[in-house]
Amino acid sequence: MAKKRPQTKAKRPQLSDGAPAVGADGEIPVVGAREPCPCGSGRRYKACHGRAASHAVTELVQRPFEGLSGECDLVALRELVPAATAELTLAGGLPEGVPSVTLATVLPMAWPALRRDDGSVMIGLQNDTSSGDISRDLADTLQRALVAEPGTPVQGRRAPSEGPRLQDLLDAQAPFEPVVHDGFEFWVPDAENATPEVTASLERANAAAIPTVKLAGVDAAYWCETPEKNHLRWVMPHPEEQLLDALARLHAAGRSSLGEGTRLVGSFRAHGLIVPVWDLPSGVTAEDVEKPAAEFAERLAAALAAKEPLTADERRARGGLTNRQVTLS
Protein backbone atom coordinates (compact mmCIF):
# COMPACT_ATOMS: atom_id res chain seq x y z
CA MET A 1 0.00 0.00 0.00
CA ALA A 2 1.11 3.54 -0.63
CA LYS A 3 2.27 5.42 2.39
CA LYS A 4 0.07 8.23 3.57
CA ARG A 5 1.62 11.66 3.43
CA PRO A 6 2.33 12.75 7.01
CA GLN A 7 0.05 15.54 8.16
CA THR A 8 1.64 18.56 9.74
CA LYS A 9 -0.04 20.60 12.42
CA ALA A 10 0.46 24.32 12.42
CA LYS A 11 -0.90 27.16 14.42
CA ARG A 12 -3.28 29.49 12.67
CA PRO A 13 -1.31 32.26 10.93
CA GLN A 14 -1.65 35.42 13.02
CA LEU A 15 -0.87 39.09 12.67
CA SER A 16 1.02 40.79 15.44
CA ASP A 17 -2.18 41.81 17.22
CA GLY A 18 -3.60 38.28 17.17
CA ALA A 19 -6.04 38.86 14.28
CA PRO A 20 -6.40 36.23 11.54
CA ALA A 21 -3.69 36.44 8.86
CA VAL A 22 -5.43 37.94 5.84
CA GLY A 23 -3.33 39.32 2.99
CA ALA A 24 -2.99 43.07 2.45
CA ASP A 25 -5.19 42.71 -0.62
CA GLY A 26 -7.89 40.99 1.41
CA GLU A 27 -7.16 37.52 0.04
CA ILE A 28 -6.99 34.47 2.31
CA PRO A 29 -3.55 32.78 2.19
CA VAL A 30 -3.34 29.17 0.98
CA VAL A 31 -2.50 26.69 3.76
CA GLY A 32 -2.67 22.93 4.23
CA ALA A 33 -6.09 21.35 3.71
CA ARG A 34 -6.33 20.17 7.34
CA GLU A 35 -4.97 23.34 8.91
CA PRO A 36 -7.25 26.00 10.43
CA CYS A 37 -8.51 28.45 7.84
CA PRO A 38 -6.58 31.75 8.08
CA CYS A 39 -9.89 33.67 7.97
CA GLY A 40 -10.44 32.84 11.65
CA SER A 41 -13.64 30.83 11.24
CA GLY A 42 -12.27 27.96 13.30
CA ARG A 43 -12.96 25.46 10.51
CA ARG A 44 -10.36 23.54 8.56
CA TYR A 45 -9.16 25.26 5.41
CA LYS A 46 -10.57 22.54 3.12
CA ALA A 47 -14.06 23.07 4.60
CA CYS A 48 -13.91 26.85 4.46
CA HIS A 49 -12.04 29.07 1.97
CA GLY A 50 -10.18 26.03 0.63
CA ARG A 51 -13.31 24.66 -1.04
CA ALA A 52 -13.28 27.21 -3.85
CA ALA A 53 -9.51 26.92 -4.21
CA SER A 54 -9.76 23.14 -4.36
CA HIS A 55 -12.39 23.33 -7.12
CA ALA A 56 -10.27 25.80 -9.07
CA VAL A 57 -7.17 23.62 -8.99
CA THR A 58 -8.91 20.35 -9.80
CA GLU A 59 -11.19 21.46 -12.65
CA LEU A 60 -9.78 19.84 -15.77
CA VAL A 61 -8.74 22.03 -18.69
CA GLN A 62 -9.30 19.83 -21.75
CA ARG A 63 -6.82 21.65 -24.02
CA PRO A 64 -4.20 23.20 -21.71
CA PHE A 65 -1.89 24.24 -24.57
CA GLU A 66 -4.55 25.74 -26.83
CA GLY A 67 -3.46 29.06 -28.33
CA LEU A 68 0.25 28.36 -27.95
CA SER A 69 2.55 28.01 -30.92
CA GLY A 70 3.31 24.32 -31.34
CA GLU A 71 0.32 22.99 -29.39
CA CYS A 72 0.56 19.62 -31.16
CA ASP A 73 4.28 19.30 -30.44
CA LEU A 74 3.69 20.25 -26.79
CA VAL A 75 1.20 17.40 -26.50
CA ALA A 76 3.71 15.03 -28.11
CA LEU A 77 6.50 16.09 -25.77
CA ARG A 78 4.20 15.77 -22.78
CA GLU A 79 2.92 12.27 -23.60
CA LEU A 80 4.94 10.51 -26.31
CA VAL A 81 8.54 11.66 -26.67
CA PRO A 82 11.14 10.48 -24.14
CA ALA A 83 13.94 13.00 -24.61
CA ALA A 84 13.49 16.39 -26.26
CA THR A 85 14.04 20.09 -25.64
CA ALA A 86 12.70 23.33 -27.10
CA GLU A 87 13.71 26.94 -26.51
CA LEU A 88 10.92 29.11 -25.10
CA THR A 89 10.40 32.78 -25.97
CA LEU A 90 8.96 34.87 -23.14
CA ALA A 91 6.41 37.54 -24.02
CA GLY A 92 8.30 40.24 -22.13
CA GLY A 93 11.79 39.09 -23.05
CA LEU A 94 14.34 37.36 -20.83
CA PRO A 95 14.94 38.79 -17.35
CA GLU A 96 18.40 40.08 -16.53
CA GLY A 97 20.73 37.21 -15.67
CA VAL A 98 18.65 34.57 -17.50
CA PRO A 99 20.37 33.82 -20.83
CA SER A 100 17.78 31.24 -21.98
CA VAL A 101 14.67 29.29 -21.02
CA THR A 102 14.42 25.71 -22.25
CA LEU A 103 11.51 23.31 -22.04
CA ALA A 104 12.56 19.68 -21.53
CA THR A 105 10.51 16.51 -21.50
CA VAL A 106 12.12 15.37 -18.24
CA LEU A 107 14.73 16.75 -15.86
CA PRO A 108 17.05 14.81 -13.53
CA MET A 109 15.48 13.59 -10.30
CA ALA A 110 12.09 14.53 -11.84
CA TRP A 111 12.67 18.16 -10.81
CA PRO A 112 9.90 20.47 -12.03
CA ALA A 113 12.53 23.04 -13.05
CA LEU A 114 16.19 23.88 -12.67
CA ARG A 115 18.11 27.16 -12.60
CA ARG A 116 21.55 26.28 -13.86
CA ASP A 117 24.81 27.73 -12.62
CA ASP A 118 24.97 30.09 -15.61
CA GLY A 119 21.49 31.44 -14.81
CA SER A 120 19.68 29.62 -17.62
CA VAL A 121 16.37 27.94 -16.82
CA MET A 122 15.13 24.48 -17.71
CA ILE A 123 11.54 23.43 -17.03
CA GLY A 124 10.25 19.85 -17.12
CA LEU A 125 7.06 19.07 -19.05
CA GLN A 126 6.27 15.50 -18.00
CA ASN A 127 6.09 16.02 -14.25
CA ASP A 128 2.93 15.25 -12.31
CA THR A 129 0.88 18.39 -11.73
CA SER A 130 -1.28 19.31 -8.75
CA SER A 131 -4.24 20.75 -10.63
CA GLY A 132 -6.33 20.11 -13.70
CA ASP A 133 -4.60 22.89 -15.63
CA ILE A 134 -1.12 21.86 -16.75
CA SER A 135 -0.56 25.27 -18.30
CA ARG A 136 -1.11 27.09 -14.99
CA ASP A 137 1.10 24.65 -13.08
CA LEU A 138 3.93 25.03 -15.59
CA ALA A 139 3.61 28.82 -15.55
CA ASP A 140 3.92 28.86 -11.76
CA THR A 141 7.02 26.65 -11.94
CA LEU A 142 8.52 28.85 -14.66
CA GLN A 143 7.99 32.05 -12.69
CA ARG A 144 9.69 30.58 -9.62
CA ALA A 145 12.56 29.22 -11.71
CA LEU A 146 13.26 32.66 -13.20
CA VAL A 147 14.00 34.08 -9.73
CA ALA A 148 15.61 30.99 -8.16
CA GLU A 149 19.24 31.06 -7.10
CA PRO A 150 21.56 29.80 -9.86
CA GLY A 151 22.53 26.18 -9.37
CA THR A 152 19.30 25.15 -7.62
CA PRO A 153 16.30 23.01 -8.60
CA VAL A 154 12.73 24.25 -8.18
CA GLN A 155 10.45 22.02 -6.16
CA GLY A 156 6.83 21.28 -6.96
CA ARG A 157 3.92 22.99 -5.22
CA ARG A 158 0.23 23.70 -5.66
CA ALA A 159 -0.06 26.65 -8.02
CA PRO A 160 -2.29 29.59 -6.98
CA SER A 161 -5.70 29.19 -8.61
CA GLU A 162 -5.61 32.73 -10.03
CA GLY A 163 -2.01 32.61 -11.24
CA PRO A 164 -0.96 33.13 -14.87
CA ARG A 165 -0.88 30.39 -17.50
CA LEU A 166 1.81 29.67 -20.08
CA GLN A 167 -0.35 31.57 -22.57
CA ASP A 168 0.23 34.69 -20.43
CA LEU A 169 4.00 34.25 -20.13
CA LEU A 170 5.08 33.01 -23.56
CA ASP A 171 5.15 34.74 -26.93
CA ALA A 172 2.35 32.84 -28.66
CA GLN A 173 3.64 33.83 -32.11
CA ALA A 174 7.22 32.68 -31.59
CA PRO A 175 8.13 29.40 -33.33
CA PHE A 176 8.22 26.26 -31.21
CA GLU A 177 10.92 23.95 -32.56
CA PRO A 178 11.51 20.73 -30.59
CA VAL A 179 14.86 18.99 -30.79
CA VAL A 180 14.63 15.24 -30.18
CA HIS A 181 17.65 13.70 -28.45
CA ASP A 182 18.95 10.13 -28.38
CA GLY A 183 19.29 10.34 -24.60
CA PHE A 184 19.34 12.75 -21.70
CA GLU A 185 22.91 14.00 -21.91
CA PHE A 186 21.51 17.53 -22.28
CA TRP A 187 20.93 17.36 -18.50
CA VAL A 188 24.65 17.59 -17.74
CA PRO A 189 26.74 20.02 -19.79
CA ASP A 190 29.61 19.13 -17.47
CA ALA A 191 29.17 15.39 -16.96
CA GLU A 192 32.42 14.99 -15.02
CA ASN A 193 31.13 17.20 -12.21
CA ALA A 194 27.60 15.78 -12.03
CA THR A 195 26.50 14.49 -8.65
CA PRO A 196 26.18 10.71 -8.19
CA GLU A 197 22.41 11.12 -7.87
CA VAL A 198 22.15 12.94 -11.21
CA THR A 199 24.48 10.44 -12.90
CA ALA A 200 22.40 7.51 -11.67
CA SER A 201 19.19 9.25 -12.77
CA LEU A 202 20.71 9.85 -16.21
CA GLU A 203 21.65 6.19 -16.60
CA ARG A 204 18.14 5.02 -15.64
CA ALA A 205 16.49 7.50 -18.00
CA ASN A 206 18.72 6.56 -20.94
CA ALA A 207 18.02 2.86 -20.39
CA ALA A 208 14.24 3.45 -20.55
CA ALA A 209 14.15 5.81 -23.55
CA ILE A 210 12.94 4.37 -26.86
CA PRO A 211 14.52 5.71 -30.07
CA THR A 212 12.33 8.51 -31.44
CA VAL A 213 12.60 10.78 -34.49
CA LYS A 214 10.50 13.81 -35.44
CA LEU A 215 9.50 13.82 -39.10
CA ALA A 216 10.67 16.86 -41.05
CA GLY A 217 8.01 17.00 -43.77
CA VAL A 218 4.84 17.19 -41.64
CA ASP A 219 3.98 18.77 -38.31
CA ALA A 220 4.06 16.92 -34.96
CA ALA A 221 4.59 13.39 -36.34
CA TYR A 222 7.01 11.18 -34.39
CA TRP A 223 8.47 7.84 -35.47
CA CYS A 224 9.58 5.47 -32.73
CA GLU A 225 11.30 2.08 -32.60
CA THR A 226 10.19 -0.72 -30.30
CA PRO A 227 11.47 -4.31 -30.08
CA GLU A 228 8.54 -5.84 -31.98
CA LYS A 229 7.59 -3.14 -34.50
CA ASN A 230 7.96 0.54 -35.21
CA HIS A 231 5.23 3.15 -34.98
CA LEU A 232 4.30 6.58 -36.25
CA ARG A 233 2.33 8.72 -33.80
CA TRP A 234 1.00 11.95 -35.28
CA VAL A 235 -0.63 14.65 -33.14
CA MET A 236 -3.26 16.48 -35.19
CA PRO A 237 -4.98 19.82 -34.46
CA HIS A 238 -8.34 19.10 -36.12
CA PRO A 239 -11.60 18.81 -34.12
CA GLU A 240 -12.10 15.21 -32.98
CA GLU A 241 -15.37 14.43 -34.77
CA GLN A 242 -14.23 15.95 -38.05
CA LEU A 243 -10.89 14.12 -37.90
CA LEU A 244 -12.46 10.75 -37.09
CA ASP A 245 -14.86 11.16 -40.03
CA ALA A 246 -11.96 11.96 -42.35
CA LEU A 247 -9.87 9.03 -41.12
CA ALA A 248 -12.90 6.74 -41.55
CA ARG A 249 -13.36 7.88 -45.16
CA LEU A 250 -9.74 7.09 -45.95
CA HIS A 251 -9.75 3.82 -44.01
CA ALA A 252 -12.88 2.53 -45.76
CA ALA A 253 -11.34 3.42 -49.13
CA GLY A 254 -8.11 1.57 -48.33
CA ARG A 255 -6.12 4.82 -48.36
CA SER A 256 -5.17 5.18 -44.69
CA SER A 257 -1.83 3.31 -44.74
CA LEU A 258 1.64 4.76 -45.14
CA GLY A 259 2.86 2.14 -47.57
CA GLU A 260 3.26 -1.61 -47.83
CA GLY A 261 3.08 -3.41 -44.48
CA THR A 262 1.90 -0.31 -42.59
CA ARG A 263 -1.50 0.01 -40.93
CA LEU A 264 -3.54 2.68 -39.17
CA VAL A 265 -4.37 0.84 -35.94
CA GLY A 266 -6.17 3.44 -33.85
CA SER A 267 -5.44 6.63 -31.98
CA PHE A 268 -4.68 8.25 -28.67
CA ARG A 269 -6.65 11.11 -27.18
CA ALA A 270 -4.35 13.51 -25.35
CA HIS A 271 -5.04 16.99 -23.96
CA GLY A 272 -7.99 17.58 -26.26
CA LEU A 273 -6.27 16.40 -29.44
CA ILE A 274 -6.33 13.14 -31.41
CA VAL A 275 -3.12 11.22 -32.16
CA PRO A 276 -3.53 8.64 -34.97
CA VAL A 277 -1.11 5.71 -34.65
CA TRP A 278 0.31 3.52 -37.43
CA ASP A 279 2.08 0.21 -37.02
CA LEU A 280 5.19 -0.03 -39.20
CA PRO A 281 7.38 -3.02 -40.02
CA SER A 282 10.59 -3.13 -38.01
CA GLY A 283 12.69 -2.28 -41.05
CA VAL A 284 10.77 0.93 -41.82
CA THR A 285 12.74 3.97 -40.66
CA ALA A 286 11.68 7.54 -40.05
CA GLU A 287 13.20 8.53 -43.38
CA ASP A 288 11.18 5.81 -45.11
CA VAL A 289 7.86 7.33 -43.99
CA GLU A 290 8.66 10.97 -44.77
CA LYS A 291 7.22 10.85 -48.30
CA PRO A 292 4.23 8.59 -47.47
CA ALA A 293 3.33 10.87 -44.54
CA ALA A 294 3.38 13.96 -46.76
CA GLU A 295 1.16 12.17 -49.29
CA PHE A 296 -1.21 11.08 -46.52
CA ALA A 297 -1.46 14.70 -45.34
CA GLU A 298 -2.77 15.65 -48.78
CA ARG A 299 -5.34 12.83 -48.76
CA LEU A 300 -6.41 13.81 -45.24
CA ALA A 301 -6.90 17.45 -46.23
CA ALA A 302 -9.28 16.38 -48.98
CA ALA A 303 -11.16 14.05 -46.64
CA LEU A 304 -11.48 16.80 -44.03
CA ALA A 305 -13.09 19.04 -46.62
CA ALA A 306 -15.74 16.45 -47.57
CA LYS A 307 -19.27 17.39 -46.49
CA GLU A 308 -21.41 14.42 -47.54
CA PRO A 309 -22.63 11.98 -44.86
CA LEU A 310 -20.57 8.85 -44.16
CA THR A 311 -21.51 5.73 -46.07
CA ALA A 312 -22.31 2.47 -44.27
CA ASP A 313 -18.73 1.21 -44.83
CA GLU A 314 -17.30 4.50 -43.57
CA ARG A 315 -19.48 4.36 -40.46
CA ARG A 316 -18.21 0.85 -39.73
CA ALA A 317 -14.63 2.04 -40.25
CA ARG A 318 -15.26 4.95 -37.90
CA GLY A 319 -16.67 2.62 -35.25
CA GLY A 320 -13.58 0.45 -35.49
CA LEU A 321 -11.25 3.44 -35.11
CA THR A 322 -13.24 4.76 -32.17
CA ASN A 323 -13.10 1.36 -30.43
CA ARG A 324 -9.32 1.40 -30.74
CA GLN A 325 -8.89 4.80 -29.14
CA VAL A 326 -6.96 5.14 -25.87
CA THR A 327 -7.12 8.26 -23.69
CA LEU A 328 -3.74 9.34 -22.31
CA SER A 329 -4.92 12.39 -20.37
Side-chain angles (χ1 to χ4, degrees):
M1 294 179 63
K3 294 182 179 179
K4 291 184 178 180
R5 183 179 298 175
Q7 299 294 336
T8 58
K9 295 184 178 179
K11 294 182 180 180
R12 183 187 308 171
Q14 298 285 325
L15 298 177
S16 58
D17 61 358
V22 179
D25 55 2
E27 293 188 358
I28 303 298
V30 175
V31 297
R34 294 178 178 270
E35 295 179 17
C37 186
C39 76
S41 67
R43 291 181 292 174
R44 288 180 175 178
Y45 179 69
K46 69 176 183 179
C48 192
H49 282 84
R51 284 189 294 184
S54 175
H55 176 74
V57 300
T58 57
E59 186 173 0
L60 179 64
V61 175
Q62 296 290 342
R63 287 181 63 178
F65 306 121
E66 185 175 13
L68 289 172
S69 174
E71 178 188 10
C72 293
D73 283 307
L74 280 164
V75 171
L77 267 57
R78 168 77 183 183
E79 299 293 341
L80 305 173
V81 181
T85 56
E87 296 300 310
L88 297 180
T89 303
L90 303 187
L94 293 169
E96 184 177 357
V98 180
S100 64
V101 176
T102 303
L103 183 75
T105 48
V106 181
L107 292 179
M109 314 299 292
W111 289 326
L114 172 66
R115 182 89 186 270
R116 283 179 155 168
D117 291 335
D118 65 356
S120 61
V121 165
M122 297 193 76
I123 178 171
L125 182 58
Q126 294 182 8
N127 295 75
D128 291 336
T129 55
S130 60
S131 81
D133 187 354
I134 297 169
S135 179
R136 194 180 307 282
D137 291 330
L138 290 171
D140 177 68
T141 299
L142 174 57
Q143 283 189 312
R144 291 186 291 126
L146 291 172
V147 297
E149 289 294 324
T152 61
V154 174
Q155 303 300 328
R157 75 168 188 181
R158 184 174 64 184
S161 60
E162 299 301 323
R165 308 177 73 238
L166 283 182
Q167 287 83 343
D168 302 315
L169 302 184
L170 302 183
D171 182 348
Q173 304 305 315
F176 184 81
E177 300 175 349
V179 177
V180 178
H181 303 275
D182 294 333
F184 295 87
E185 280 71 24
F186 62 86
W187 283 356
V188 282
D190 185 7
E192 293 183 357
N193 294 323
T195 66
E197 291 81 5
V198 170
T199 299
S201 183
L202 174 63
E203 292 174 353
R204 289 193 300 270
N206 280 343
I210 62 174
T212 301
V213 176
K214 185 180 188 299
L215 298 195
V218 295
D219 292 334
Y222 291 81
W223 170 96
C224 68
E225 179 183 22
T226 63
E228 295 183 357
K229 61 185 69 175
N230 299 342
H231 305 278
L232 184 72
R233 301 177 292 189
W234 191 342
V235 187
M236 296 186 173
H238 317 292
E240 179 174 351
E241 298 303 316
Q242 182 186 10
L243 177 57
L244 288 175
D245 281 354
L247 292 173
R249 295 180 194 276
L250 295 175
H251 203 58
R255 307 183 68 207
S256 64
S257 76
L258 298 176
E260 184 178 357
T262 71
R263 186 166 66 100
L264 175 64
V265 293
S267 61
F268 296 127
R269 181 192 287 116
H271 306 294
L273 299 181
I274 299 300
V275 188
V277 178
W278 285 262
D279 278 354
L280 312 173
S282 296
V284 173
T285 67
E287 185 177 356
D288 292 333
V289 293
E290 284 281 6
K291 183 178 179 181
E295 293 171 346
F296 177 85
E298 295 180 359
R299 299 197 299 272
L300 180 63
L304 287 166
K307 301 299 182 183
E308 62 271 15
L310 297 181
T311 66
D313 287 344
E314 290 167 348
R315 289 196 300 272
R316 283 192 290 271
R318 192 187 196 281
L321 292 172
T322 302
N323 290 336
R324 296 192 297 274
Q325 189 176 75
V326 176
T327 299
L328 300 181
S329 61

